[in-house]
Amino acid sequence: MRRAYHKLILPDGTCHKMVVCHTDDATGRLLDFHPLQGEEPFVEWVGGMLVAE
């Protein structure tokens, strides 16, 4: 699933703002992310913050 967030905090403490996160549907685990650069198809806007484990 691909969702957009205001902020992403990685396990090492790195903070990224305005990102699209691709997560595993079954586990919710973060697979990949990239900067949000505008409207993207099939991306759900969540807002808020995602803290990756």
Side-chain angles (χ1 to χ4, degrees), residues 2 8 11-15 23 26 32-33 36-37 42:
R2 295 180 347 148
L8 168 65
D12 67 0
T14 306
C15 177
T23 56
D32 191 22
F33 69 93
L36 179 65
Q37 299 193 10
F42 308 107

Side-chain angles (χ1 to χ4, degrees), residues 4 6 23 26 31 33 35 42-48 50-51:
H6 283 291
T23 56
L31 301 174
F33 69 93
F42 308 107
V43 173
E44 177 185 0
W45 175 256
V46 177
L50 174 65
V51 179

Side-chain angles (χ1 to χ4, degrees), residues 16-53:
H16 297 272
K17 295 183 179 178
M18 301 303 287
V19 295
V20 175
C21 298
H22 182 212
T23 56
D24 182 279
D25 290 340
T27 65
R29 184 176 171 189
L30 180 66
L31 301 174
D32 191 22
F33 69 93
H34 65 271
L36 179 65
Q37 299 193 10
E39 295 268 339
E40 291 188 36
F42 308 107
V43 173
E44 177 185 0
W45 175 256
V46 177
M49 178 173 52
L50 174 65
V51 179
E53 296 179 10

